[in-house]
Every structure is written in C-alpha cells, then in structure tokens.
Amino acid sequence: EVQLVEAGGGLVQPGKSLRLSCAASGFTFSIYWMSWVRQAPGKGLEWVANIKQDGSEKYYVDSVKGRFTVSRDNAKNTLYLQMNSLRVEDTAIYYCAGLNSGDWHFDFWGQGTLVTVSS
Amino acid sequence: SYELTQPPSVSVSPGQTANITCSGDKLGDKYVSWYQQRPGQSPVLVIYQDMKRPSGIPERFSGANSGNTATLTISGTQAVDEADYYCQAWDSRTGVFGTGTKVTVL
C-alpha cells in the first residue's frame, strides 16, 4: 500500500523556520518526482515545489522562492521542505505528493500537516 | 503567471450531468488533470492527460480539453460525488491549480 506521511507542522512565529518531512513507503520513491502542495484554511490548492528523482532539478512557486528549499533523501525514502522567513500567508496544510513524470499528474497524496504562522 | 479559472460552484440533481469548466490561455495545448477533494480529506486524482481515468475511478467521470477550456463531466451524478474539484496543468515545470469548484448534489 502506498503511503506518504507528512510530519513537522505546528505553530511558528513570523520570520521563523520550520522543516517538514514526508516519509514514503509502498512504492519506489527514487523513481518519482515529488512535490509539495499547500492549502490555506478554506482556500484552494496551491502547488509549492517539485524535485526531480535525483534532486538535480527543483522548481518553486514565486511566492516561496528564496525562502523555501525542497530536498530528498532517497536512501531514507523521505522528502523535505525547509521553510525559512515564514509569513502569516504561509499558513496552510502542506501535502506531499508523488508526481508521475510520464503524464505529469499527482499519483498519490499524503494526509497533510498543518503549518500555522502567527505571533 | 499562468492562471486557471473555474466556476465557484455547480449544483446538480442526483442522476443528472454536472459539467465543470476550467479556462486558461491555450489550455488545449497542455495536459490537464482533475482532482476531487472531499471535506477534510486529501485530493484524489479522477482524470489525467485530459481524459484518462485512473483505475478505481467510476466511468461516470470523463474529461475533455480543447482551445482554452477543459471540462470535467460527471454523468449520472451521485451524492458521493459532492466535493470540491480542481483542474491542474503545468506551465513549463511550474504547477498551476484551478480556483476550484464546489459540486453540490441537491
């Protein structure tokens, strides 16, 4: 069974940092592009970042460029999102998702972890 | 930046057909995926590559994409189909989601 389990969310003050992780199992993690997608409370989905299988390519939505960094450890089957200089508007549920690079669609999703940025 | 626009809401009677549109510049030149999200749950893929259904998705879900508009059609809509639906496409390697449509089965 495919599983993606996010962790690391919580309450953090504006300007601070947080690192999210996503533990993958039930599929060959190393052959998948991986993504982070977020959803602010009561709002729609927003793509945040992609990372290629070997980590050599990374892409970000403009609003997080220079503040967020996506990375992965294929030996540990784990995806990460380092979030620095957090803003109130970064408050959201953060989902990790497996990206089918053949057809470019999200094959599976985690259950999400809530990040709340507030003073 | 690239944008995808959906109607905020669509209402449909049980057994009838719901059409959800997704509009974007030259969207027909891109592949579109559709995701269903029930309240409190993670999104689920219902259509990919414009019109393909993943295994386990009922045949009543279908898709089309041409010109500037992609359409998700739910035929014979059931109460279980009540959810938010998002279209999604790629602009180079940058992901874009539609604004989302709440489908209400009356």
Side-chain angles (χ1 to χ4, degrees):
Chain A
E1 178 193 4
V2 170
Q3 276 202 313
L4 293 172
V5 180
E6 300 94 336
L11 175 63
V12 61
Q13 293 179 329
K16 300 296 187 182
S17 299
L18 207 60
R19 189 174 87 151
L20 306 182
S21 63
C22 170
S25 61
F27 67 102
T28 307
F29 179 75
S30 61
I31 69 171
Y32 269 81
W33 280 72
M34 294 297 295
S35 301
W36 288 98
V37 176
R38 67 184 178 183
Q39 185 169 35
K43 302 297 184 181
L45 300 173
E46 180 182 38
W47 170 82
V48 173
N50 278 355
I51 183 168
K52 194 177 179 179
Q53 292 94 331
D54 62 359
S56 61
E57 295 182 36
K58 303 175 184 181
Y59 301 90
Y60 301 92
V61 67
D62 285 348
S63 59
V64 308
K65 284 180 182 176
R67 300 189 300 122
F68 289 13
T69 301
V70 61
S71 62
R72 64 192 296 163
D73 185 334
N74 287 343
K76 295 182 178 180
N77 288 345
T78 303
L79 175 72
Y80 302 99
L81 185 66
Q82 178 67 42
M83 304 185 295
N84 298 332
S85 303
L86 281 161
R87 304 168 179 169
V88 171
E89 55 266 33
D90 294 320
T91 295
I93 296 173
Y94 284 74
Y95 297 99
C96 68
L99 181 59
N100 183 311
S101 58
D103 299 319
W104 282 88
H105 61 267
F106 298 108
D107 263 341
F108 27 78
W109 300 67
Q111 85 290 348
T113 187
L114 177 62
V115 173
T116 303
V117 184
S118 174
S119 55
Chain B
S1 61
Y2 196 77
E3 295 181 352
L4 295 174
T5 302
Q6 299 178 232
S9 62
V10 167
S11 297
V12 60
S13 300
Q16 299 305 302
T17 297
N19 290 301
I20 305 163
T21 58
C22 172
S23 299
D25 184 50
K26 297 180 182 178
L27 185 57
D29 293 342
K30 307 178 187 295
Y31 277 139
V32 174
S33 304
W34 290 90
Y35 298 87
Q36 175 194 69
Q37 187 180 34
R38 297 190 175 103
Q41 296 187 18
S42 301
V44 172
L45 177 71
V46 294
I47 291 289
Y48 67 99
Q49 221 172 71
D50 297 339
M51 61 181 65
K52 296 182 178 180
R53 273 180 296 105
S55 60
I57 299 301
E59 291 184 8
R60 62 179 181 274
F61 289 89
S62 62
N65 184 20
S66 180
N68 294 322
T69 304
T71 303
L72 174 68
T73 299
I74 311 174
S75 304
T77 306
Q78 300 181 8
V80 70
D81 300 328
E82 188 162 285
D84 294 327
Y85 290 84
Y86 297 90
C87 58
Q88 192 270 326
W90 297 93
D91 186 32
S92 298
R93 297 295 197 200
T94 300
V96 182
F97 281 95
T99 49
T101 299
K102 181 176 180 59
V103 171
T104 301
V105 183
L106 298 171

